[in-house]
Amino acid sequence: MSMEKYVGLTVDIIYVDRKGRFTQRRITVHSVRGDRIRAYDHTRKALRVFRAEGILAREPVNGHAS
C-alpha cells in the first residue's frame, strides 16, 4: 500500500502496532521513507512514525488521492 501519494494530506487509518493493538488514527502525512511514514497524529497531538505494514486501511479525509 503506497503512502507517498498522501504526503501533505490528512488520512484516517486503522493501525496495528507491534504488540498487536488496533487503533483508529487521523494523521497528516509529512514524509515517507522506505517502510516508515512520518506524520502528525491528531489523536496523540504529536509527530509520530508509523510502519507501513501496520496500516491495515486508509481513507483520505478530504476524498483526494484515492
Side-chain angles (χ1 to χ4, degrees):
M1 161 185 332
S2 174
M3 290 294 290
E4 286 89 359
K5 65 183 176 181
Y6 297 107
V7 172
L9 298 178
T10 301
V11 183
D12 285 333
I13 63 170
I14 302 295
Y15 187 74
V16 60
D17 68 17
R18 290 180 191 239
K19 294 182 179 179
R21 295 177 293 211
F22 291 85
T23 58
Q24 183 172 348
R25 307 282 184 96
R26 178 164 286 187
I27 63 172
T28 299
V29 180
H30 286 224
S31 64
V32 178
R33 291 196 178 138
D35 67 341
R36 302 287 186 238
I37 295 97
R38 186 170 177 263
Y40 180 79
D41 182 341
H42 295 269
T43 304
R44 306 266 187 200
K45 297 183 179 166
L47 284 174
R48 307 284 289 215
V49 176
F50 298 90
R51 295 173 303 110
E53 63 268 18
I55 298 175
L56 304 178
R58 82 271 189 259
E59 180 70 28
V61 171
N62 56 7
H64 291 95
S66 53

